[in-house]
Amino acid sequence: MKILYFAWVRQRVGLAEEDVAPPAEVRDVAGLIAWLATRSPGHASAFADPRQLRAAVNQDFATPDQAVAAGDEVAFFPPVTGG
């Protein structure tokens, strides 16, 4: 699974992207966030408040209950605002 990080999420994690192999019990975006938060202090900081994050799975916006699987591309980024 390829994970992409954008904006302040990237800054906190310290990576633009990484390839990961989450355990079998990680089945959705929420589970992935919880698991990623355990990977390092930077990950813990980035994923401390999941309400402050948005996700996309295979380039489509995703909700926390969106399924994820090996081979997916999952991106995390702050909420997008415009004007």
Side-chain angles (χ1 to χ4, degrees):
M1 183 179 299
K2 178 174 271 199
I3 309 295
L4 306 174
Y5 304 110
F6 295 94
W8 59 258
V9 183
R10 175 187 295 187
Q11 292 172 338
R12 291 182 188 176
V13 171
L15 300 169
E17 64 181 61
E18 62 182 325
D19 291 312
V20 299
E25 60 267 15
V26 173
R27 295 187 179 108
D28 58 21
V29 171
L32 181 60
I33 288 171
W35 179 75
L36 287 169
T38 68
R39 292 181 51 84
S40 76
H43 287 81
S45 174
F47 295 107
D49 185 358
R51 296 170 299 169
Q52 298 298 315
L53 292 169
R54 297 297 176 263
V57 177
N58 300 321
Q59 301 183 4
D60 288 324
F61 284 108
T63 59
D65 62 349
Q66 169 73 42
V68 294
D72 283 345
E73 177 188 86
V74 183
F76 292 102
F77 46 92
V80 178
T81 61

